[in-house]
Amino acid sequence: MNLVQILQRSLSGYIFVVPGLLLYFWRLKKEGKKQTPAHVTCTFIFCFYLIGVLTMTGIGRIKAFSPRISLIPFADMIDGPIDTVLNVVLFLPFGFFLPLMYKKYNCVSRTALTGLLFSVSIEIIQMFGRGTTDINDLITNMLGAGLGFFVYQFLSGLIGKELCRKFKAGRINEGKEVLLFIIYSFVVMVTIQPFIIHTLFQLG
């Protein structure tokens, strides 16, 4: 896929994510758990990023179970260094957003582990006719999430803790919120995006 196709497919999925986010934050407000404008804005950006990752990794309509699995670590990293770097870079924002938005992810191990679990979810879906499940993707994605955490640590030191607090979620279960956003993004990309958008615009 070229950049235009990636953007088209990402937007065609994201337009169905936005109403869900609006409903979610409306419900939090009704429950007396209104979030800061900075956190809400960051959430919309984060979810667009999640849709973009799922687009770039080929997540779409579920097909027949036909796994293609590569379990040899580091081999592809040497043969294809550009893909390795891209896989690391792809998950850098993931490791940056989590500590920015949630106090829970104030340590690199928790952030990297969450990145690994997100990557594992992608690899599992790819077993259903969506590509090759590769252990090297897990390694590089987790590394990217860990590096993203250190990027956040560096930048937060420059802009100050007071400003960073404005992006943090408050009075919610942070782990559940992250899980909700990830699951919702997956659901949109394997159901609504490929079936509806492909039918209308041939973009699925």
Side-chain angles (χ1 to χ4, degrees), residues 6-157:
I6 292 172
L7 184 60
Q8 287 177 328
R9 295 186 182 202
S10 297
L11 288 173
S12 68
Y14 186 63
I15 58 175
F16 293 99
V17 172
V18 170
L21 292 179
L22 291 173
L23 180 62
Y24 172 72
F25 284 114
W26 173 81
R27 180 176 177 180
L28 287 183
K29 183 179 179 181
K30 295 290 286 185
E31 294 175 352
K33 301 176 182 178
K34 183 179 179 180
Q35 303 298 302
T36 65
H39 178 73
V40 173
T41 301
C42 207
T43 297
F44 277 87
I45 298 172
F46 177 58
C47 287
F48 181 71
Y49 160 75
L50 292 178
I51 292 294
V53 170
L54 298 183
T55 298
M56 294 185 69
T57 53
I59 300 302
R61 180 172 59 87
I62 298 296
K63 301 179 181 179
F65 184 68
S66 55
R68 289 180 290 164
I69 303 175
S70 175
L71 296 177
I72 303 175
F74 308 115
D76 291 341
M77 295 183 187
I78 298 174
D79 296 335
I82 294 179
D83 288 339
T84 298
V85 172
L86 290 177
N87 276 335
V88 172
V89 172
L90 183 63
F91 268 64
L92 271 170
F94 191 87
F96 176 82
F97 275 114
L98 289 188
L100 174 66
M101 298 168 62
Y102 305 102
K103 298 175 184 177
K104 177 183 176 74
Y105 297 96
N106 61 353
C107 64
V108 64
S109 59
R110 184 172 293 158
T111 300
L113 177 60
T114 305
L116 174 63
L117 295 176
F118 180 41
S119 182
V120 167
S121 302
I122 292 172
E123 298 301 317
I124 291 174
I125 295 297
Q126 287 179 335
M127 291 183 182
F128 293 87
R130 305 308 312 183
T132 301
T133 298
D134 192 339
I135 191 173
N136 294 291
D137 291 343
L138 300 179
I139 296 170
T140 52
N141 292 163
M142 183 173 66
L143 177 61
L147 290 176
F149 174 86
F150 290 114
V151 171
Y152 165 76
Q153 288 288 90
F154 174 74
L155 293 179
S156 64

Side-chain angles (χ1 to χ4, degrees), residues 154-183:
F154 174 74
L155 293 179
S156 64
L158 295 179
I159 66 177
K161 293 182 179 180
E162 193 62 36
L163 180 58
C164 289
R165 288 195 191 98
K166 295 181 179 180
F167 292 92
K168 297 289 192 292
R171 295 172 293 171
I172 61 169
N173 187 311
E174 298 177 347
K176 286 184 179 180
E177 180 168 284
V178 173
L179 184 62
L180 171 65
F181 295 156
I182 290 175
I183 291 176

